Amino acid sequence: MAVEFISGMEHYEKVVARVASVRSSLWIGTADIKDLYVKAGSSTEPFLAVLAKLLKRGVEIRLIHAKEPGPAFREDFDRYPVLKTGLERMLCPRVHFKMLVFDFETVYIGSANLTGAGIGMKGSSRRNFEAGILTDEPALIEAATEEFDSVWRGDHCSRCGRRLYCADPIK
């Protein structure tokens, strides 16, 4: 693969669809997250159902997002109790990056938030214009995971200037 440019519906077909095949670790960074739905056979299911299945298989999932999602997301979240205990989640009002790190072997880096119009399965007339890369290039994976992990560790907290707005400060 090396580096592959992703746009339009490819976000769903090549990025979101890859989530279900994660074996050990999934890191998700997004500014916005909503009640995203995915294909499940001939039907659809909440993206959170996919994450719940991964957690039950023992996959480590970390999620960083900038703000609390709306009530529809909360309703879906509450339907899967394993998310409350197994999903490692943090809010950071400064996060604007969008990335998914799959088993530290592949990474998506792009513009799409974890929403139906951003990375989800919405039709072409209801999608945002998004662009990104999907890569297995070691240097890009390392840089992306370090950027994600630096936020996760709270390396930026002391100088971010938004502590007043941070619901759950790391440091």
Side-chain angles (χ1 to χ4, degrees):
M1 163 191 335
V3 177
E4 181 178 0
F5 181 78
I6 303 290
S7 66
M9 196 60 184
E10 290 178 317
H11 278 88
Y12 180 77
E13 295 163 352
K14 295 184 177 182
V15 180
V16 172
R18 182 181 293 266
V19 169
S21 63
V22 169
R23 296 180 316 278
S24 63
S25 178
L26 175 65
W27 288 6
I28 303 168
T30 185
D32 194 11
I33 185 168
K34 293 185 179 173
D35 60 329
L36 169 67
Y37 277 70
V38 297
K39 292 178 185 174
S42 60
S43 180
T44 62
E45 67 182 356
F47 180 69
L48 292 171
V50 176
L51 296 185
K53 290 174 192 172
L54 291 174
L55 288 168
K56 288 178 181 176
R57 285 193 352 233
V59 173
E60 171 211 43
I61 303 175
R62 288 184 175 180
L63 170 63
I64 300 175
H65 53 105
K67 61 183 179 179
E68 281 293 349
F73 176 93
R74 185 79 230 180
E75 188 176 307
D76 283 342
F77 188 90
D78 290 343
R79 290 174 44 202
Y80 305 99
V82 70
L83 295 173
K84 291 178 186 174
T85 58
L87 179 66
E88 297 179 64
R89 185 173 78 103
M90 70 171 282
L91 291 171
C92 175
R94 296 291 268 205
V95 164
H96 201 260
F97 56 62
K98 288 83 174 179
M99 67 175 85
L100 286 91
V101 180
F102 306 94
D103 292 318
F104 303 105
E105 296 171 354
T106 308
V107 66
Y108 164 78
I109 306 165
S111 64
N113 281 306
L114 216 59
T115 64
I119 205 166
M121 59 185 262
K122 288 207 175 182
S124 59
S125 64
R126 299 181 68 205
R127 298 190 66 74
N128 296 337
F129 300 117
E130 307 283 5
I133 61 167
L134 185 64
T135 183
D136 58 6
E137 181 65 41
L140 289 173
I141 294 168
E142 184 178 338
T145 57
E146 177 52 32
E147 179 63 20
F148 184 105
D149 208 29
S150 72
V151 173
W152 190 265
R153 292 187 308 257
D155 291 356
H156 308 282
C157 290
S158 65
R159 61 187 183 283
C160 88
R162 303 280 299 167
R163 188 170 186 86
L164 206 59
Y165 307 99
C166 191
D168 191 18
I170 306 283
K171 294 182 177 179

